[in-house]
Amino acid sequence: MSISARHELPDIVVPQIGLSLRVIASSIRSALGMTGHAISGELTRQDSKYALRVRVDGRQVFSSGFEAENPDDLMTKAAPGVMEIIRPAAHAMARYRDRNEEGLLRAEQIIARYKKSDINVQWAYLLKGKHALGRDNYQQADDMFSNAVSSNRNNEQPHMQLGVSLLRQGKPDDAIKQFRRVLAINPKSATAYNNIGVALATQANRGNAGTDPTKLEQAIAEYQRAIKTEPGYVLPYNNLGLALFYRDQIDNAITQYRDAIEIAPNYLLARWNLAFALRQRSFGAAVTEYRAAIKLATDPQQRAMLHTSLGDFLQDTGENGNIEAAILEYRHAIEMNCYSWAHNNLGSIWRSRGKINDAIAAFAKATTCEPKDKIFEVNLEQALRAQEASAVTTGLAKR
């Protein structure tokens, strides 16, 4: 077979294999794009086993004996050698998924070897930028994404990633500029609309004077644009729900959360937000959504937070049976994680019931989990003073 990105293949059936060359070559040709490379080789069969030899631009990059019953298995083995030549950046990203350092090394080699205008260089910068961003090394991430932008300003991804980095650094104004540049390249980017909405919502809650309603309305409009552009994209539904919730449009927020869950039933944040919104509408429905969210959560910290939030809701009802249920939720949270608020809120219940020693123990554990939070220290000090006062009172009574 001979496969080139620039030439059509005849739809010939190979008699001894029974497969169309067009079918065999389809995945490889899709990877070729307009790289200018050509792939050739032989796929042969002997005693129900296949062998494959592959060349790129006449140079052999893969060869096997008669070892596979399925040609796809050999194609999979051959793919890394092919991709390293025709799409070296894609190969580096694939390596990065399994072995971070090897993928980063290959990205550095691509940057050193190819011209800056080469698309592979841009994606190599993106790989290094995403690695730095994942480790909160914002300066390096911004440098890598900026290099990717300068390599090819007509690709939306470097602008998108740079905007995400700036947004995480608390620079929503600069982030919005990057997301707007994405839209200038691709006006149908629902992700860009959604991210602009997130940045505007960040601006709305940034001041000390409370939420800025104008910015929040602008965020709502951007989320709606994202949904209109790509109705199956789930994130803007949840984000729109949050914005509406903060505008006291509870029922509309609930509708958005439910729409998100309809698209993605396992979307944890949407179920979490729905549970919180339902606290103002239906006790039973809120508890049901909390239970569903707890089942979905795999991270111990998230599960502890959910159990604690459910405990707070149950405690807020003021009914004795629900307070006992709240205690159980706090204990579930404590079993999963050293979550300070679960200890603290449990301590508050013990203090309200006059169980000062139990309250002191709970507040002390809260300070251990989160030593920097002064609230827990204050609660512990107040419980200790109550204990001392009780001891003094008991001593006076005995006299």
Side-chain angles (χ1 to χ4, degrees):
M1 63 180 176
S2 179
I3 308 167
S4 171
R6 295 185 297 267
H7 298 94
E8 288 293 327
L9 286 171
D11 195 11
I12 299 173
V13 174
V14 183
Q16 69 268 32
I17 299 177
L19 296 174
S20 165
L21 272 179
R22 190 180 299 279
V23 174
I24 295 172
S26 60
S27 60
I28 296 178
R29 291 193 66 225
S30 66
L32 282 173
M34 295 303 293
T35 62
H37 294 288
I39 298 177
S40 61
E42 297 80 38
L43 178 66
T44 54
R45 188 176 71 171
Q46 178 177 304
D47 298 329
S48 299
K49 294 292 182 85
Y50 294 98
L52 177 66
R53 183 181 294 113
V54 178
R55 293 179 293 275
V56 177
D57 299 332
R59 180 167 66 89
Q60 181 171 294
V61 296
F62 179 81
S63 179
S64 77
F66 294 96
E67 61 186 57
E69 296 180 357
N70 186 340
D72 287 343
D73 295 338
L74 294 178
M75 292 289 187
T76 300
K77 288 183 178 181
V82 175
M83 293 302 292
E84 190 169 15
I85 296 174
I86 69 172
R87 283 282 189 267
H91 184 250
M93 290 177 181
R95 279 282 183 258
Y96 179 81
R97 284 192 290 270
D98 298 326
R99 295 182 288 275
N100 287 4
E101 294 304 320
E102 185 176 334
L104 290 172
L105 177 60
R106 290 181 181 275
E108 291 172 3
Q109 292 171 343
I110 290 168
I111 292 169
R113 185 181 305 167
Y114 293 85
K115 293 180 179 179
K116 190 174 182 179
S117 58
D118 191 292
I119 187 64
N120 289 287
V121 172
Q122 185 176 63
W123 286 101
Y125 279 128
L126 282 170
L127 175 58
K128 288 173 66 66
K130 287 185 177 182
H131 176 79
L133 185 60
R135 283 151 183 77
D136 296 333
N137 187 342
Y138 297 117
Q139 183 59 59
Q140 184 181 8
D142 290 353
D143 289 344
M144 292 299 104
F145 294 143
S146 295
N147 284 335
V149 167
S150 63
S151 175
N152 181 0
R153 296 183 180 276
N154 293 323
N155 186 349
E156 64 190 81
Q157 279 303 314
H159 294 289
M160 185 78 79
Q161 295 303 324
L162 181 55
V164 170
S165 179
L166 292 166
L167 188 54
R168 284 178 54 175
Q169 295 173 63
K171 301 176 180 179
D173 297 359
D174 294 333
I176 288 173
K177 291 178 183 177
Q178 295 301 320
F179 298 140
R180 293 289 184 203
R181 287 169 184 164
V182 171
L183 290 173
I185 298 168
N186 177 14
K188 295 184 178 181
S189 175
T191 302
Y193 286 123
N194 176 73
N195 289 353
I196 291 171
V198 173
L200 288 166
T202 301
Q203 290 177 328
N205 295 293
R206 190 167 53 176
N208 296 323
T211 303
D212 181 343
T214 301
K215 288 291 185 183
L216 203 54
E217 288 299 328
Q218 291 173 356
I220 288 171
E222 294 297 333
Y223 296 140
Q224 290 170 335
R225 289 188 183 98
I227 291 169
K228 184 178 180 180
T229 302
E230 190 176 335
Y233 179 37
V234 71
L235 294 186
Y237 291 94
N238 179 67
N239 293 336
L240 177 56
L242 279 171
L244 292 169
F245 182 86
Y246 285 112
R247 292 292 287 150
D248 292 325
Q249 299 179 31
I250 308 301
D251 293 328
N252 288 338
I254 289 171
T255 298
Q256 296 304 319
Y257 297 141
R258 291 197 187 282
D259 286 346
I261 292 167
E262 186 175 350
I263 295 170
N266 294 332
Y267 188 11
L268 174 59
L269 288 180
R271 286 203 178 269
W272 195 333
N273 290 333
L274 176 59
F276 192 83
L278 285 169
R279 289 166 68 148
Q280 300 187 38
R281 292 292 182 266
S282 170
F283 175 86
V287 171
T288 297
E289 286 302 327
Y290 269 119
R291 298 289 184 212
I294 288 169
K295 286 183 180 180
L296 286 175
T298 56
D299 179 73
Q301 177 78 0
Q302 288 182 330
R303 297 194 76 180
M305 293 172 68
L306 280 162
H307 278 295
T308 302
S309 184
L310 176 55
D312 294 344
F313 174 50
L314 293 168
Q315 187 180 175
D316 287 344
T317 64
E319 298 179 13
N320 188 58
N322 287 336
I323 292 176
E324 293 301 322
I327 291 172
L328 185 60
E329 294 301 325
Y330 294 141
R331 284 176 169 164
H332 282 320
I334 290 166
E335 289 171 0
M336 293 177 183
N337 192 276
C338 187
Y339 188 51
S340 55
W341 283 104
H343 287 293
N344 178 79
N345 297 355
L346 188 57
S348 296
I349 292 176
W350 298 145
R351 183 172 57 189
S352 69
R353 293 185 173 184
K355 297 182 177 182
I356 301 301
N357 290 336
D358 290 339
I360 290 171
F363 291 138
K365 288 178 180 177
T367 59
T368 300
C369 295
E370 191 59 55
K372 296 181 180 180
D373 198 317
K374 298 299 180 182
I375 292 176
F376 309 135
E377 289 185 10
V378 170
N379 288 339
L380 177 58
E381 290 171 2
Q382 289 176 347
L384 289 169
R385 284 199 296 269
Q387 184 185 54
E388 292 172 0
S390 176
V392 170
T393 302
T394 302
L396 290 173
K398 287 180 178 179
R399 290 180 186 177

